[in-house]
Amino acid sequence: MIGLSRATFTERWPLFTGAALTVCLGVALVQSSLLVLISAATLPVPAGLDPAARAAFVDGSSTAVTLSALTLAFSAFLAVFIVSSTFAFTVAQRRQELALLRLVGADRGAVRRLLVGEAVLLAVVGTAAGIPVGIAATRFQSGLLAGLGMVPAGFTAEWRSWILGVSAGVGIGVSLAGVLVAARRAGRVRPLEALRDTGGSARVMTAARWGAGVVFAAGAAALVIIAPVGGAAGGQAMAANAALCLAVALSALSPLLVPAVARLVPTRGPIGELAVAALGDGVRRSAAIAAPVIVLVGLVLAQAGMLTSTAAAGEAEQRRTTAGELVLDARGPVGDRVTDLPGVAWASTETVLPLAVTWGSGDDVESDDGQALVVDPAAYATAHPGSDAVAALHGRVAVAGPGSGGGSPGDTVGVRVGDSDLGPLPIVAEVPDAISDGADLLLTADSVPAAELAAAPSRTLVALAPGADRDAVVAALSAIGPVSTVADRIAADAAGRDATTVAVFIVIMGLGGVYALIGVVNAVVIGTAPRPAEFATARLSGLTRGQVVRAALLESAVVTTVGLVLGGVAAGASFVATLAVTSRMTGTPTLVLPWDLIGALAAGLYLVTALTSTLTTWSATRRAPVALLGAAT
Amino acid sequence: MVPVTTTTLAGAHPGTTPVAAAVALRGITRTYGDGPTAVRAVDGVDLAFPRATWTAVMGPSGSGKSTLLHCAAGLERVDSGQVLLGDTDITDASDDELAALRRERIGFVFQGYHLVGALTAAQNVALPLRLAGRRPPRAEVHAALAMVGLGDRARHRPRELSGGQQQRVAIARAMVTRPEVLFADEPTGALDSTSARTVLDLLGAMAARGQSIIMVTHDPAAAARAGAVVFLRDGRVVDRLVGAGAHDVANRLVGLER
Ligand SMILES: Nc1ncnc2c1ncn2[C@@H]1O[C@H](COP(=O)(O)OP(=O)(O)OP(=O)(O)O)[C@@H](O)[C@H]1O
Ligand SMILES: [Mg+2]
């Protein structure tokens, strides 16, 4: 049977190369994300850092760990999805050939063994190629994290030899998972199917597709419903997963949805008719091309839409919850010096200290890093409308801040700020959580050693008295430290967060997106591989080569359009969840779509599918049409 | 699979010894679809195809010839009735048992050749043996190809062969397992008259050596080469001629098509 596989390979190399390539890139991506994650998680804190630098380091590397974990999850999902859909598609494309084997006496087991054997072979080849590609991907991903300043410059993910075992397991595991269902189904192909002229006679909407479609759609609905109770981080995660579930559901149902939606796309003329007919005939092919488009568009739009919406909601929230006109940056509690200045109505000084909170006792101690703000309760309440609860802050107690890491009222937590252990402090109240992160605990100056406080950076929100000479106040404040307006500061913060958002997006989605895009190219190539006879028939009925190529191009453009629409629908699940989350967190439902990204993605997809389709159809029509009609299969 | 003893079967020659027929059909029915659109493609056919005989099956288009052949070869399930291959009742045989039959006891030739395009002629011929887990000696494969006059085309791929040559490779592939019965559905349907004659000569030589052949055809000349001709109409056996010439066969067929 190896002989048959080898002979089939020379004839159908695009199928096999495509399948091995998806395994290779899947292995590379998972291996790289895993290595980066482990290296980020075990990154030692350099000795001799001052508390602020140390806090910044810990903060950066914990973000790096979170991002790498997300990247790993996304990569693993894509590897499973793309490899299994590619393998299933290659098997479906060979249905007639497999029926022919059945006709000359292959039983179900022989067909299954042939396919599984080939899959293992492809997995081995793909994995062997994937490991070195993974090393290159690791370099890229580490560089990206270092470029973002989340890990120190020169950070490299360390090579671990056990990763070879993991990668082999991933490569062979996803390949087997991908081929097993398809091989079972192919084993049941009826020998008589070999006698039909055209392939694709099998029912495309299988029970498995219905099952996956319904289950994942239900999962998406459930996630959308519960997302608002998840808070800022949990809600976002659930919104992203809702889009992922719906994308999987829509891909599973794509044999139904693609022709249905394609009927709405207007096409005219004989070329249009040919394209539409081919679409209807090749439902399995259209579905296979649409699936990675749906997943790619769904996930990218969901993630990007969520990030931009959250950023916009955060900015709006900051505007709403910050009063005063000017901000002064200084060191230590400079509040009294500011309030004493003529023309100042009030000032709220907020001194920022790195914070470590511990809960529990004995063996069961948990701790979390965050940020503490040392404030004057009355001034803070004035400067931040809506946080009246801060009035309960006095002496040696704490109030839970707008960040979510400090604990809840009623808890008593161990608090460390900078180098000082403040001992256990009771949390007596909480101000509303903010969607844009904020300090986890609010403290009074009574709790913190004066030396610690004096060295820490502080910002002071300043409101001008009616009729005050603004320039004079600014000049006086500038003697203490740099001054800017509140509006400028919020805008600058938002711009900074936007830059981080883009970077985060690239870290999580960048390589995965490229992988999904290659999955799309693959599906187009694999879909065109068995079509030379079909094209030859079209040319013998009077179409020119150019017309055949144009019809195939139109067909792939329609499929891409449908994939974009369905991907948008999948992302819609996360948009609904985002609206609910932002509404619950800030009172205003916010959805801001990154239209430039959407446009770029759509243009990129059209370009890639159009190019691939044109090249493959051109090469499939290379031989004179008569030469192709005689040969079977 | 239940071995059965076959005595006289409806439609068998009067006076034949009670030897199991190569293939016997007992009251088989096959209906496609249901409700008002149901088509009874084969309707209560009782038929025995004697051993070592070349039998042609004729009838108007849509009369159920292909369906009958598929049922007889176990490629299609019957709704009722019984299908016997030699002594073996294959009516309820499992999928794997049927696959084993196709590997070992029956061969197929179809109008459209159905060779594996990626494999050479020799590899196509060796395929059934390899599926049976054997590594066929080159000589055996070569002999099968030589028998159909293609000893020099072993390394050609199907698309490098003419239609008639491809059909002869298909015959070599069907015969390499030395099947009890060769099923052929319009084996000359896509061939010009010269190629068709070559193929029929091959089948004739095989029949002369004792091969049982069941062949569906539209061509009276082809049917006249066979020992017996069975006529179908609307899924029923309506006539049977033994040793008739092409002219008689054609006349009979025209009568049916009226
Ligand atoms: N798979 C199928 N599904 C539904 N109807 C079928 C199927 N196969 C055959 N039929 C119907 O059964 C009847 C007999 O078909 P069959 O192919 O056996 O005819 P035939 O005698 O071989 O015709 P021809 O000479 O044109 O090949 C026809 O009416 C046909 O439409
Ligand atoms: Mg027929």
Side-chain angles (χ1 to χ4, degrees):
Chain A
M1 297 311 288
I2 296 295
L4 178 66
S5 299
R6 196 185 319 118
T8 314
F9 177 80
T10 46
E11 195 84 348
R12 307 211 154 183
W13 61 269
L15 262 70
F16 292 99
T17 312
L21 182 67
T22 53
V23 175
C24 162
L25 297 180
V27 165
L29 210 53
V30 171
Q31 170 186 306
S32 153
S33 312
L34 186 59
L35 281 179
V36 171
L37 171 61
I38 289 184
S39 300
T42 56
L43 201 59
V45 182
L49 287 184
D50 67 62
R54 193 185 155 86
F57 180 90
V58 169
D59 193 38
S61 64
S62 85
T63 312
V65 169
T66 311
L67 287 190
S68 315
L70 272 176
T71 312
L72 176 62
F74 183 55
S75 307
F77 164 77
L78 278 182
V80 171
F81 182 86
I82 302 227
V83 169
S84 55
S85 68
T86 306
F87 273 58
F89 186 37
T90 56
V91 172
Q93 290 289 67
R94 292 168 64 195
R95 199 171 167 83
Q96 233 195 334
E97 169 197 329
L98 297 173
L100 187 50
L101 289 183
R102 297 269 287 138
L103 188 65
V104 293
D107 55 25
R108 294 177 176 190
V111 170
R112 275 202 301 269
R113 281 194 301 279
L114 173 74
L115 293 173
V116 171
E118 282 176 4
V120 170
L121 214 68
L122 290 173
V124 169
V125 171
T127 307
I131 290 170
V133 176
I135 294 174
T138 310
R139 220 165 277 150
F140 176 78
Q141 284 185 317
S142 321
L144 215 52
L145 285 179
L148 290 174
M150 289 172 188
V151 290
F155 166 84
T156 43
E158 236 176 276
W159 172 258
R160 283 156 217 258
S161 38
W162 52 256
I163 198 82
L164 287 175
V166 173
S167 291
V170 168
I172 291 172
V174 294
S175 306
L176 280 183
V179 84
L180 278 179
V181 177
R184 241 186 96 71
R185 190 164 138 70
R188 289 198 300 263
V189 63
R190 299 183 59 220
L192 277 181
E193 279 187 39
L195 303 185
R196 308 217 171 96
D197 294 335
T198 47
S201 49
R203 224 162 26 95
V204 181
M205 269 318 287
T206 55
R209 276 187 180 270
W210 274 113
V214 169
V215 167
F216 279 95
L223 284 168
V224 168
I225 292 167
I226 60 170
V229 298
Q236 277 192 41
M238 283 189 253
N241 283 322
L244 191 146
C245 283
L246 195 54
V248 173
L250 293 177
S251 320
L253 299 177
S254 57
L256 282 184
L257 299 175
V258 173
V261 180
R263 240 168 268 139
L264 306 177
V265 180
T267 47
R268 273 181 303 113
I271 307 251
E273 273 171 33
L274 191 66
V276 169
L279 256 172
D281 234 26
V283 171
R284 183 66 185 81
R285 178 177 64 238
S286 320
I289 298 170
V293 176
I294 295 172
V295 165
L296 174 63
V297 171
L299 294 191
V300 165
L301 288 198
Q303 191 73 35
M306 224 160 49
L307 289 170
T308 47
S309 300
T310 312
E315 190 180 345
E317 177 189 65
Q318 277 210 322
R319 283 188 207 294
R320 250 195 337 273
T321 58
T322 313
E325 285 98 50
L326 301 171
V327 188
L328 164 71
D329 288 301
R331 282 212 173 261
V334 293
D336 293 344
R337 287 167 65 192
V338 175
T339 16
D340 288 348
L341 293 173
V344 169
W346 54 258
S348 168
T349 297
E350 300 158 12
T351 310
V352 185
L353 285 161
L355 168 75
V357 181
T358 50
W359 296 272
S361 56
D363 286 343
D364 197 22
V365 175
E366 273 184 73
S367 82
D368 206 354
D369 293 315
Q371 197 185 64
L373 276 192
V374 176
V375 302
D376 169 54
Y380 186 88
T382 315
H384 298 283
S387 18
D388 301 326
V390 77
L393 186 60
H394 59 88
R396 289 184 45 81
V397 301
V399 165
S404 49
S408 318
D411 297 349
T412 296
V413 293
V415 177
R416 247 188 105 79
V417 293
D419 284 333
S420 318
D421 193 343
L422 307 188
L425 293 183
I427 298 179
V428 294
E430 65 180 337
V431 301
D433 272 359
I435 198 164
S436 57
D437 218 14
D440 300 291
L441 282 186
L442 305 179
L443 305 171
T444 62
D446 297 344
S447 312
V448 183
E452 192 87 61
L453 205 54
S458 70
R459 60 172 179 260
T460 306
L461 291 165
V462 181
L464 301 176
D469 178 353
R470 182 187 174 99
D471 292 341
V473 175
V474 170
L477 286 173
S478 296
I480 308 174
V483 183
S484 55
T485 68
V486 167
D488 284 353
R489 168 59 65 88
I490 290 175
D493 279 358
R497 273 199 304 270
D498 281 350
T500 318
T501 298
V502 170
V504 163
F505 180 79
I506 292 172
V507 170
I508 301 178
M509 294 274 164
L511 285 183
V514 171
Y515 180 39
L517 204 58
I518 291 174
V520 177
V521 170
N522 233 333
V524 175
V525 174
I526 294 173
T528 312
R531 294 181 76 185
E534 174 194 333
F535 294 146
T537 313
R539 286 170 76 190
L540 286 178
S541 13
L543 272 84
T544 64
R545 187 179 182 189
Q547 282 172 320
V548 169
V549 171
R550 286 216 305 281
L553 180 63
L554 185 60
E555 185 191 335
S556 78
V558 172
V559 175
T560 308
T561 308
V562 175
L564 279 167
V565 170
L566 293 178
V569 171
S574 85
F575 297 159
V576 173
T578 301
L579 284 170
V581 171
T582 49
S583 161
R584 193 179 161 105
M585 300 279 308
T586 70
T588 319
T590 311
L591 182 65
V592 178
L593 294 185
W595 287 109
D596 41 354
L597 177 76
I598 296 176
L601 184 64
L605 274 168
Y606 278 119
L607 189 71
V608 163
T609 51
L611 258 174
T612 319
S613 159
T614 307
L615 288 177
T616 50
T617 317
W618 188 254
S619 116
T621 47
R622 202 179 46 234
R623 277 192 242 159
V626 266
L628 285 161
L629 285 185
T633 332
Chain B
M1 288 191 275
V2 192
V4 290
T5 0
T6 319
T7 50
T8 329
L9 289 171
H13 290 273
T16 33
T17 40
V19 166
V23 174
L25 308 176
R26 291 178 175 174
I28 64 160
T29 305
R30 179 73 172 103
T31 307
Y32 289 113
D34 45 19
T37 57
V39 177
R40 193 165 268 220
V42 173
D43 189 2
V45 168
D46 272 311
L47 205 53
F49 297 95
R51 274 192 205 276
T53 306
W54 180 2
T55 309
V57 179
M58 296 200 82
S61 184
S63 57
K65 303 181 294 293
S66 295
T67 308
L68 182 85
L69 191 85
H70 295 160
C71 290
L75 290 174
E76 190 87 80
R77 299 260 174 209
V78 294
D79 297 326
S80 60
Q82 220 177 3
V83 180
L84 305 173
L85 177 70
D87 285 343
T88 320
D89 184 346
I90 65 165
T91 319
D92 297 314
S94 75
D95 195 272
D96 284 354
E97 286 168 336
L98 289 173
L101 281 183
R102 292 195 294 274
R103 284 197 301 271
E104 288 152 12
R105 295 178 59 190
I106 55 186
F108 297 101
V109 180
F110 295 98
Q111 180 176 359
Y113 327 136
H114 299 291
L115 301 174
V116 180
L119 299 180
T120 62
Q123 288 171 322
N124 266 288
V125 171
L127 193 54
L129 299 175
R130 305 208 49 183
L131 285 172
R134 288 177 49 198
R135 183 166 282 279
R138 187 174 296 222
E140 191 176 338
V141 172
H142 198 262
L145 275 172
M147 182 195 77
V148 298
L150 291 174
D152 54 340
R153 299 297 163 96
R155 301 175 71 84
H156 286 58
R157 285 178 205 282
R159 65 165 164 275
E160 296 156 353
L161 297 171
S162 75
Q165 289 168 334
Q166 288 186 58
Q167 192 62 301
R168 278 144 67 196
V169 174
I171 291 174
R173 179 179 69 186
M175 293 304 297
V176 77
T177 57
R178 303 174 201 285
E180 288 168 42
V181 189
L182 177 67
F183 292 93
D185 194 349
E186 304 196 27
T188 57
L191 302 181
D192 65 88
S193 54
T194 319
S195 306
R197 200 171 320 119
T198 316
V199 165
L200 291 173
D201 289 345
L202 266 173
L203 294 179
M206 280 153 41
R209 289 197 298 269
Q211 176 67 48
S212 312
I213 302 174
I214 301 174
M215 175 185 76
V216 168
T217 182
H218 270 129
D219 178 8
R225 303 279 300 263
V229 187
V230 173
F231 292 91
L232 289 188
R233 190 170 66 185
D234 299 332
R236 300 205 177 115
V237 177
V238 289
D239 204 353
R240 181 183 173 98
L241 295 176
V242 179
H247 195 68
D248 293 342
V249 172
N251 279 340
R252 191 67 199 88
L253 195 60
V254 170
L256 285 180
E257 280 172 352
R258 251 204 307 269

